[in-house]
């Protein structure tokens, strides 16, 4: 029997049961409200490259296939766990299954690794009946953000580690802003958002089904593009490439709106889900630390060299959080998790 729910009716029924369980839990002794958990909290972290913190070295599991997840030893789950411990909240991390390249459906289906590295089991397998906290982020890869970036950049269309193809390779990268706001490009994007919305619901329902007592914390994505895109016309200190390489400046606000729309979709999924969940709004909290904020950037530029090497060659950040960005993620995730556990 599969351990995931496909039927909307089943999802609604299970969500109602979770909601009832939450109400019963709230009927307990009032004196316990707001108290930090006395015992270690069984916790599972899940997610994609923004949870595994692609680009930060060293990485875990270098002697196994999971090394291809590029999961940083010091990713935000590890840093947030220490921040919570400093506040008297101890997490018993049952597993961190975050993996670069993961799509939403890899929460309930196997994930094929790059370079013929084999497959990983569905991330939901890490959840246990006694899991009390489930934290992570998925959605950006399902939306196809890599494909969106490639649609806008001739440089990124060249062979690289960045997976995926442009949405329409025949459409010039220079016209990508217009491409995503009209015609087939807009139609494709709308369809991707529909897919993301439905699968986010399935993800959150699945956590509630497999770990009925778990607090669910969905983590959004940090902001990549600033409000003032003229900042993106200057390379960061010590860099020669612009933060967004050859992506046209007029396309940057379009990329920002796509990211904001994804953030809103994630926030809506958390708001709509029965049984309760929490959202970490990193987009709202990282506007001063975008890829274009120079020395204050929390995002490594598209082609800026990261801390990782493959066959002696530095791998670009591809717009992932650097250590400053990772620490911003960890701070906000720890604060949200603490609030959730103290309710």
């Amino acid at each position: 029997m599969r351990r995931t729910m496909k039927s909307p009716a089943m999802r609604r029924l299970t969500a109602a049961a979770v909601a009832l369980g939450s109400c019963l839990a709230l009927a307990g002794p009032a004196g316990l409200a707001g108290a930090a958990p006395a015992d270690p909290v069984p916790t599972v972290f899940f997610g994609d490259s923004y949870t595994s913190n692609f680009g930060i070295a060293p990485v875990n599991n270098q002697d196994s296939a999971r090394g291809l997840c590029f999961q940083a030893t010091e990713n935000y789950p590890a840093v947030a766990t220490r921040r919570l411990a400093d506040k008297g909240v101890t997490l018993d991390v049952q597993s961190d299954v975050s993996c670069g390249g993961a799509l939403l459906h890899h929460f309930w289906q196997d994930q094929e690794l790059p370079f013929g590295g084999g497959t990983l089991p569905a991330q939901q397998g890490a959840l246990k009946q006694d899991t009390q906290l489930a934290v992570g982020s998925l959605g950006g890869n399902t939306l196809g953000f890599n494909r969106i970036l490639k649609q806008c950049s001739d440089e990124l269309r060249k062979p690289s580690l960045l997976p995926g193809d442009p949405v329409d390779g025949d459409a010039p990268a220079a016209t990508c802003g217009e491409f995503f706001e009209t015609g087939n490009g807009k139609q494709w994007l709308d369809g991707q958002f529909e897919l993301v919305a439905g699968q986010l619901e399935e993800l959150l329902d699945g956590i509630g089904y497999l770990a009925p007592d778990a607090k669910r914390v969905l983590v959004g994505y940090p902001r990549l593009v600033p409000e003032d895109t003229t900042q993106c016309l200057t390379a960061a200190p010590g860099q020669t490439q612009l933060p967004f390489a050859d992506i046209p400046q007029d396309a940057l606000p379009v990329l920002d709106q796509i990211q904001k729309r994804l953030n809103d979709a994630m926030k809506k999924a958390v708001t709509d889900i029965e049984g309760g969940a929490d959202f970490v709004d990193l987009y709202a909290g990282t506007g001063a630390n975008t890829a274009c904020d120079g020395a204050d950037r929390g995002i490594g530029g598209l082609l800026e060299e990261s801390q990782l090497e493959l066959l002696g060659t530095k791998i670009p950040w591809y717009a992932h959080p650097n250590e400053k960005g990772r620490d911003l993620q960890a701070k906000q995730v720890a604060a949200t998790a603490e609030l959730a556990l103290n309710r």
Side-chain angles (χ1 to χ4, degrees):
M1 178 181 291
R2 292 190 57 183
R3 298 177 67 208
T4 185
M5 298 185 304
K6 290 293 184 182
S7 163
M10 286 181 66
R11 291 203 302 269
R12 287 193 295 271
L13 187 59
T14 301
V18 172
L20 178 59
S22 299
C23 292
L24 293 174
L26 291 174
L32 296 179
D39 299 319
V41 180
T43 301
V44 167
F45 291 101
F46 62 90
D48 56 25
S49 58
Y50 278 75
T51 304
S52 67
N53 281 120
F54 169 89
I56 296 176
V59 301
N60 290 324
N61 309 301
Q62 295 186 52
D63 297 328
S64 71
R66 278 198 177 272
L68 292 173
C69 289
F70 298 105
Q71 184 189 94
T73 301
E74 288 293 297
N75 64 351
Y76 83 67
V79 178
T81 296
R82 287 200 300 274
R83 289 186 66 94
L84 286 166
D86 290 341
K87 295 185 176 184
V89 180
T90 302
L91 301 187
D92 172 17
V93 180
Q94 296 174 308
S95 193
D96 178 353
V97 290
S98 60
C99 186
L103 286 78
L104 274 162
H105 71 251
H106 291 137
F107 190 76
W108 55 85
Q109 294 179 15
D110 291 352
Q111 178 181 352
E112 185 174 349
L113 292 169
F115 312 118
T119 58
L120 295 180
Q123 295 190 16
Q124 67 176 9
L127 294 168
K128 311 299 180 188
Q129 281 290 312
D130 66 342
T131 301
Q132 295 177 26
L133 179 67
V135 183
S137 178
L138 286 166
N141 291 326
T142 298
L143 178 64
F145 209 78
N146 285 350
R147 299 188 66 190
I148 293 168
L149 290 174
K150 287 191 173 187
Q151 187 64 39
C152 297
S153 167
D154 286 318
E155 284 295 320
L156 293 181
R157 293 189 190 192
K158 296 176 181 178
S160 70
L161 285 177
L162 193 67
D165 297 314
V167 179
D168 181 356
D170 292 330
T175 64
C176 80
E178 179 184 357
F179 175 82
F180 286 114
E181 292 186 316
T182 59
N184 291 337
K186 182 180 184 301
Q187 183 177 358
W188 176 85
L189 192 60
D190 289 345
Q192 293 302 108
F193 272 109
E194 281 189 33
L195 177 65
V196 167
Q199 292 192 353
L200 281 171
E201 178 186 346
E202 186 164 2
L203 165 69
L204 292 168
D205 281 345
I207 295 173
Y209 176 68
L210 295 166
D213 297 327
K215 303 286 187 180
R216 295 171 286 185
V217 179
L218 185 64
V219 183
Y221 293 90
R223 189 168 185 175
L224 305 180
V225 180
E227 185 174 354
D228 178 9
T229 59
T230 61
Q231 296 175 231
C232 302
L233 303 180
T234 303
Q239 299 298 314
T240 56
Q241 290 272 3
L242 294 179
F244 287 98
D246 62 332
I247 293 180
Q249 185 187 0
D250 64 1
L252 294 178
V254 177
L255 294 181
D256 184 51
Q257 284 303 307
I258 291 172
Q259 191 187 6
K260 184 178 185 303
R261 186 176 173 185
L262 174 60
N263 190 72
D264 290 344
M266 297 177 79
K267 190 184 301 184
K268 185 176 188 300
V270 166
T271 301
D272 289 351
I273 198 72
E274 293 187 66
D278 291 273
F279 181 62
V280 181
D281 194 346
L282 289 176
Y283 179 90
T286 54
N289 304 101
T290 70
C292 302
D293 278 292
D296 292 326
R297 69 192 183 284
I299 302 294
L302 280 179
L303 299 181
E304 178 183 347
E305 291 182 351
S306 74
Q307 298 173 7
L308 299 179
E309 287 188 10
L310 188 65
L311 301 177
T313 302
K314 287 282 190 179
I315 301 175
W317 284 105
Y318 294 132
H320 283 79
N322 55 26
E323 287 174 313
K324 181 188 288 289
R326 182 270 320 273
D327 290 345
L328 290 169
Q329 291 175 293
K331 179 180 179 180
Q332 295 185 50
V333 167
T336 301
E338 184 180 15
L339 288 172
L341 292 171
N342 285 345
R343 280 202 300 270

